[in-house]
Amino acid sequence: MSVKELRERTQAGFLDCKKALDESNGDMEKAVEILRAKGLAKASKRAGVDALDGAVVIKNINQVYGMLFFGTETDFVAKNYQFCQFADNELSSFIESDNSNITNIEIDGESFANRLGYLAAKIGENIVLKDYCKMISDDQGAVFSYVHNKLNDNFDNVARIGVLLKTKGATADVAKQLCMHIASFKPIALNEASMTSEQRALVGEERKLKDLVLDLQSYLMDPSQTVAAFCKNNNIQIVDFKVFSVK
């Protein structure tokens, strides 16, 4: 078996592939396993390094929207073509799967954790999945997506901030403006009633209630009224939203 073929299968470097083939006496499958084991071992060495940078990727397939939030050590990796391609492919698999937990999705017998580990080993940085979600356009509301601060010219859906918004009664232009507001102010709950106990614990410690709750925030496009007032005056209902942001 050739080094070229092994590189195409594993995306590993020339010397690593050559060594793996030598070690396996030319057995392709054994060489693949050798490279995978070494790759995961290499990735595990960086697992404790803080992944404070990162990227958000958004996609829509047949009105099913998905969003993934990855942490990386540097923006160099977040802008990397190979990383962006991986994130885009993984999101497609997530959207097209009935599984609501992306970490449970296997591809060609490989777990998500292993696939991510191979990528981290090849790139040479710790990469972690920080969060993920799905949102569906249906008779309960239309979903709109928005990204801010794109990271790679080849991927319009990879950025530092991503928003999904499900709403009734909003035009595409108004929905975009609402998404821009959410991206700017990063609320953690739609209204006070929907706040979890963990979210409520932030009130008075990090931010005021009117800063945390979308309905109570002064609307970006018209600070004279709250988001709730704007929506009421324009017969708009916000059903759900999600925002991921690289700090």
Side-chain angles (χ1 to χ4, degrees):
M1 296 294 180
S2 69
V3 172
K4 179 181 178 181
E5 183 180 351
L6 184 57
R7 290 191 68 190
E8 290 174 349
R9 283 190 59 179
T10 64
Q11 300 299 307
F14 177 86
L15 289 178
D16 288 334
C17 287
K18 188 176 184 303
K19 289 178 181 178
L21 282 171
D22 289 342
E23 189 175 338
S24 66
N25 294 316
D27 187 309
M28 177 62 74
E29 296 307 319
K30 287 184 179 179
V32 169
E33 290 303 316
I34 289 170
L35 287 172
R36 285 175 175 170
K38 288 182 177 179
L40 292 177
K42 182 178 178 181
S44 68
K45 292 179 181 179
R46 300 202 63 82
V49 180
D50 289 336
L52 301 179
D53 217 286
V56 178
V57 55
I58 289 179
K59 202 166 193 175
N60 164 31
I61 300 177
N62 297 325
Q63 297 306 304
V64 179
Y65 289 74
M67 183 163 62
L68 306 181
F69 180 18
F70 287 95
T72 64
E73 293 179 42
T74 66
D75 66 347
F76 174 79
V77 170
K79 296 175 180 178
N80 178 278
Y81 181 90
Q82 195 169 34
F83 165 78
C84 292
Q85 187 174 51
F86 170 87
D88 184 72
N89 290 340
E90 290 293 333
L91 182 52
S92 294
S93 298
F94 178 48
I95 292 173
E96 292 173 338
S97 171
D98 293 331
N99 201 319
S100 61
N101 187 339
I102 189 174
T103 63
N104 290 336
I105 298 175
E106 288 193 356
I107 298 177
D108 296 329
E110 290 288 358
S111 67
F112 175 83
N114 280 2
R115 297 193 302 274
L116 186 60
Y118 302 147
L119 177 71
K122 182 174 182 183
I123 292 179
E125 280 197 14
N126 186 26
I127 303 173
V128 298
L129 178 68
K130 291 191 170 183
D131 211 342
Y132 58 92
C133 69
K134 281 184 187 179
M135 206 172 286
I136 302 173
S137 276
D138 52 25
D139 56 4
Q140 299 301 310
V143 178
F144 298 87
S145 63
Y146 174 76
V147 293
H148 179 70
N149 198 352
K150 296 177 183 178
L151 294 171
N152 189 302
D153 291 338
N154 295 298
F155 295 89
D156 289 337
N157 60 333
V158 181
R160 293 185 70 83
I161 302 175
V163 176
L164 290 180
L165 171 68
K166 187 169 185 174
T167 180
K168 274 187 171 182
T171 63
D173 286 342
V174 171
K176 181 178 179 180
Q177 291 171 357
L178 286 167
C179 285
M180 291 171 66
H181 171 98
I182 294 169
S184 297
F185 291 94
K186 302 175 185 61
I188 63 174
L190 174 58
N191 49 51
E192 187 174 0
S194 67
M195 295 181 75
T196 65
S197 57
E198 290 81 5
Q199 291 171 336
R200 290 180 183 279
L202 298 176
V203 179
E205 292 184 11
E206 295 185 10
R207 298 160 71 181
K208 296 179 180 179
L209 185 63
K210 67 180 181 64
D211 297 324
L212 293 165
V213 175
L214 178 59
D215 273 356
L216 301 179
Q217 293 176 337
S218 297
Y219 185 38
L220 177 66
M221 303 301 171
D222 181 6
S224 68
Q225 58 182 330
T226 63
V227 172
F230 170 80
C231 290
K232 182 178 180 180
N233 293 336
N234 290 275
N235 297 314
I236 295 170
Q237 177 189 358
I238 296 178
V239 179
D240 197 7
F241 77 91
K242 196 74 173 180
V243 55
F244 295 152
S245 176
V246 179
K247 295 181 180 180

